[in-house]
Amino acid sequence: MAAPVRHVVLGATGVWRRLERPWASSLCSRSLTLAALPSRTKSPWRLWGALCLQRPPLISKPLTPLQEEMAALLQQVETEKSLYSDHELRALGEAQQLAKKRADLHEEEDEPGILLVPDLEEMWEQAFLRFRPGARTTEADEKNDRTSLHRKLDRSLVLLVREKLGGQDVWMLPQAEWQPGETLRGTAERTLATLSGNSMEAKFLGNAPCGHYKFKFPQAVRTESNLGAKVFFFKALLLAGDFPQAGEEARHVWVSKEELGDYLSPRYLAQVRRFLLDL
Amino acid sequence: ALGVWRTQIRDTHQRASLFSFWELLPTRAEPLRKKKKVDPKKDQAVKERLKKRIRKLEKATQELIPIEDFITPAKLLDKARQRPQVELSFEESERRALLLKKWSLYKQQEHERERDAIRALVAAQQEALQELQLESPELYSEAIKRDPGLFPFEKEGPHYTPPVADYQPPEGRYNDITKVYTQVEFKR
């Protein structure tokens, strides 16, 4: 934990030569490098970039009773205002013919080979029943296996990791210390890469942080130039891939917004809840 | 004196074909027409008149691509297709009116909740950006920049059931019969 003043000055001189090549090659704003000298020489706060990786929901939420009623009403009104379809016309015609036959002849001559409407409908019903859609509640839901991604498919899940901070195991969003020469979003992308080792693909939602958390170091560690740290969170949507299986001692967890309280400390939780949508 | 036949036989070794004797004799009865200088001008004038007529027709009827949705197919105008008018009972109409009122209230509350949530999100972001600016102006200016790789962003929304693993779609060919129109632009 070198004093940030010296660290920054050293970094500045060495970083110039490193920066010239990437600056020339990648001029887009997505570049992770900074050309300007960081002038944070007097700030007592250390910077950390954190990653808020969310798995978006795969299925829709179940409808509330009011929504069900309204859906039924809309369907009713739509059928009332519509015209007869070809299938319905055919059904009406056949019903009329049957009625005529029964009234006139009393002989039911069923010509084999002609499919009447009820037979067709039965065939379609059978075909529909043969199809098995995916289950809306998965095994992981029943076992409450929080390390699995296939849990709570109608909510979005956030990744939490367990790290050692000052000797204690603390649950938090994955984070890494900011290094001079990269943007904070670059720090978040570096966290993702170190976590997953390129097995997870994520879409970052913009260059700006979505939230922050400020904390001071405990008295023992605090110095004049090293008061505390500021953590900046960056949102990303998980597109593909999964965390490499850690096995029994998993140090990560995929958790929905309500379950965050089980893991995070109160102040941290309060700040994190601010930028997570409840849906 | 020798006769036309004999004169023709004399130079057969130099002629292109054996029938060139008959080709030499004029077999048409009409006298040959002489080409006049005025004719090409007349032809050009006729062509221009035709072109003008074509242009006028083009101006009048600029055929636009038909919007299929706005044209009711003829088979749907049949009276046999119309449903009988449903007369709602008093209870049914009351139930519908009350349900619509409850629904509008629910939607209003949902909208307010979403609006407040978005406001909170934006406020949190603004606070974070302020803190970042206090820390380092360069990182702040980097954070403010637009991300060109963000849009266009396409993602398939949530469905009713999750995707089935190892799903085998039914075999068959897909015949696309959509009509594709191209607008013909008439240039002046």
Side-chain angles (χ1 to χ4, degrees):
Chain A
M1 285 225 296
V5 177
R6 215 192 304 156
H7 182 65
V8 159
V9 166
L10 271 177
T13 47
V15 136
W16 266 121
R17 275 169 237 133
R18 255 196 302 137
L19 281 177
E20 268 175 330
R21 261 177 286 120
W23 180 248
S25 57
S26 62
L27 278 169
C28 56
S29 61
R30 199 204 167 284
S31 72
L32 309 175
T33 56
L34 279 178
L37 258 180
S39 59
R40 291 191 55 247
T41 48
K42 290 178 186 170
S43 171
W45 298 95
R46 291 171 68 180
L47 287 182
W48 293 72
L51 173 69
C52 171
L53 187 63
Q54 285 182 302
R55 185 222 66 191
L58 289 173
I59 56 178
S60 53
K61 284 187 150 177
L63 297 174
T64 60
L66 177 61
Q67 286 175 330
E68 296 260 12
E69 268 188 62
M70 191 62 194
L73 173 63
L74 287 172
Q75 187 65 32
Q76 218 181 349
V77 169
E78 196 188 315
T79 43
E80 280 171 18
K81 289 190 177 175
S82 67
L83 297 171
Y84 282 128
S85 64
D86 290 338
H87 179 74
E88 283 182 306
L89 277 181
R90 183 176 160 176
L92 285 172
E94 285 185 6
Q96 275 181 356
Q97 275 185 4
L98 262 180
K100 255 191 184 178
K101 269 190 184 174
R102 285 193 190 151
D104 296 342
L105 298 171
H106 293 280
E107 286 171 30
E108 292 185 15
E109 297 169 3
D110 285 327
E111 294 158 48
I114 294 183
L115 282 172
L116 295 177
V117 161
D119 303 324
L120 272 176
E121 289 185 348
E122 217 191 284
M123 268 172 55
W124 296 337
E125 190 69 34
Q126 293 297 317
F128 177 65
L129 289 170
R130 257 178 273 140
F131 173 70
R132 296 290 165 91
R136 279 166 68 90
T137 48
T138 57
E139 287 177 42
D141 267 325
E142 285 152 31
K143 287 191 228 160
N144 202 11
D145 175 23
R146 293 201 173 173
T147 55
S148 156
L149 255 184
H150 301 283
R151 202 180 130 255
K152 290 212 169 178
L153 297 172
D154 59 345
R155 307 290 318 270
S156 56
L157 299 175
V158 187
L159 179 66
L160 290 183
V161 283
R162 197 154 48 159
E163 302 275 324
K164 292 223 162 164
L165 254 192
Q168 272 187 335
D169 253 357
V170 173
W171 281 105
M172 60 166 97
L173 293 169
Q175 64 189 33
E177 177 143 21
W178 172 77
Q179 280 163 10
E182 66 177 357
T183 61
L184 277 170
R185 178 179 155 162
T187 324
E189 283 166 346
R190 188 162 51 92
T191 355
L192 178 66
T194 42
L195 266 185
S196 65
N198 289 329
S199 66
M200 293 206 273
E201 263 179 49
K203 174 95 180 178
F204 275 82
L205 303 174
N207 285 327
C210 56
H212 74 291
Y213 176 64
K214 209 159 66 167
F215 68 96
K216 289 189 179 167
F217 294 134
Q219 283 289 347
V221 189
R222 228 181 278 184
T223 59
E224 265 203 29
S225 53
N226 204 6
L227 250 187
K230 285 190 186 177
V231 190
F232 291 95
F233 301 97
F234 287 83
K235 264 196 189 170
L237 288 181
L238 182 71
L239 295 173
D242 195 357
F243 218 90
Q245 276 302 316
E248 286 292 321
E249 266 290 317
R251 298 190 69 84
H252 73 277
V253 135
W254 290 97
V255 134
S256 65
K257 193 174 173 183
E258 308 94 40
E259 296 160 357
L260 281 176
D262 300 339
Y263 297 87
L264 303 176
S265 62
R267 266 192 67 220
Y268 192 78
L269 174 67
Q271 289 288 82
V272 167
R273 279 168 62 92
R274 287 181 70 191
F275 60 79
L276 283 180
L277 258 187
D278 216 349
L279 273 178
Chain B
L2 257 176
V4 180
W5 182 252
R6 295 258 177 96
T7 49
Q8 296 311 313
I9 294 170
R10 259 200 312 221
D11 53 328
T12 43
H13 63 282
Q14 282 173 357
R15 271 184 241 148
S17 74
L18 288 170
F19 298 109
S20 45
F21 166 66
W22 301 109
E23 284 168 14
L24 293 168
L25 297 174
T27 48
R28 275 170 273 183
E30 275 185 8
L32 291 167
R33 288 186 211 162
K34 288 183 195 170
K35 277 200 171 172
K36 299 175 197 170
K37 283 184 187 175
V38 195
D39 268 338
K41 280 191 187 173
K42 262 195 184 175
D43 284 330
Q44 271 181 12
V46 165
K47 279 183 194 169
E48 290 220 338
R49 257 180 263 146
L50 283 172
K51 277 187 190 168
K52 260 195 179 176
R53 267 190 219 152
I54 292 169
R55 262 182 248 157
K56 273 193 181 173
L57 282 173
E58 287 169 1
K59 253 193 186 175
T61 60
Q62 168 78 315
E63 223 184 288
L64 300 168
I65 300 175
I67 303 174
E68 306 270 326
D69 293 341
F70 290 179
I71 307 165
T72 7
K75 66 175 184 175
L76 293 179
L77 299 168
D78 196 8
K79 273 210 169 176
R81 291 240 180 202
Q82 287 177 358
R83 275 176 210 267
Q85 269 285 327
V86 176
E87 294 216 358
L88 296 170
S89 64
F90 175 70
E91 288 87 14
E92 178 64 19
S93 58
E94 281 290 302
R95 177 195 81 102
R96 286 190 185 187
L98 287 170
L99 181 57
L100 286 170
K101 284 196 164 188
K102 271 192 263 180
W103 180 252
S104 64
L105 180 67
Y106 169 77
K107 282 306 256 184
Q108 183 191 34
Q109 289 166 347
E110 187 187 52
H111 181 256
E112 281 172 6
R113 263 180 281 140
E114 285 180 4
R115 191 193 53 193
D116 295 336
I118 292 175
R119 246 187 234 164
L121 280 177
V122 170
Q125 190 173 51
Q126 288 299 318
E127 268 192 41
L129 283 171
Q130 263 184 8
E131 290 278 331
L132 185 56
Q133 191 177 33
L134 289 174
E135 274 300 298
S136 104
E138 298 87 19
L139 287 174
Y140 175 73
S141 52
E142 284 287 316
I144 285 187
K145 282 187 189 162
R146 273 184 206 227
D147 181 14
L150 183 58
F151 294 115
F153 178 33
E154 281 181 15
K155 198 181 92 70
E156 264 197 40
H159 303 280
Y160 186 66
T161 49
V164 178
D166 320 323
Y167 175 62
Q168 300 285 333
E171 302 240 337
R173 264 192 294 173
Y174 180 69
N175 285 329
D176 200 358
I177 53 168
T178 40
K179 293 185 188 169
V180 179
Y181 296 93
T182 39
Q183 179 73 60
V184 181
E185 293 284 343
F186 293 119
K187 294 174 194 169
R188 295 279 135 260

